[in-house]
Amino acid sequence: MTSIPTVFGDGIIDVHVASGVARITLGVQTSASAAVKDGKPEPSALVIVPVLQLPNLARVLADVTRQIEARAKEVSASQAGAQANQGQGQPQDQVAGAFRFNG
């Protein structure tokens, strides 16, 4: 299996579109960058996507966001139910909190 680079981004610093390609600069907020650059994130990676693929990328990210929100509601409801059951001597359910999305 080919190894692919792993990058981390707290957010998007900039998006530049030219010649049919979107260049998305991801940023990371570190304590060092906060002290040196007035709290501005440092660039951590450049994602290059053909403009024609941006709608697909946006759709997948929106779907993942909806799934995360739904999962958070499930976990919240499960924890509330577990706390109510805990007073009755029933064991509390363990929730992993992680899932995979293949869009």
Side-chain angles (χ1 to χ4, degrees):
M1 176 191 258
T2 304
S3 177
I4 58 173
T6 301
V7 296
F8 178 80
D10 285 326
I12 296 174
I13 294 176
D14 184 48
V15 178
H16 178 76
V17 179
S19 302
V21 176
R23 291 164 180 83
I24 305 166
T25 305
L26 300 180
V28 62
Q29 185 70 48
T30 65
S31 58
S33 67
V36 175
K37 297 185 178 184
D38 299 324
K40 294 182 181 177
E42 295 180 1
S44 62
L46 181 64
V47 179
I48 301 174
V49 181
V51 170
L52 293 175
Q53 293 300 319
L54 279 177
N56 293 333
L57 178 64
R59 179 188 53 78
V60 168
L61 292 175
D63 288 347
V64 169
T65 301
R66 280 192 289 276
Q67 287 187 12
I68 290 170
E69 290 170 346
R71 181 72 178 199
K73 288 178 184 177
E74 289 174 12
V75 168
S76 178
S78 173
Q79 288 176 344
Q83 288 176 352
N85 291 338
Q86 197 171 21
Q88 300 171 2
Q90 296 178 356
Q92 183 174 358
D93 291 337
Q94 298 267 335
V95 178
F99 65 96
R100 181 177 302 273
F101 174 81
N102 294 318

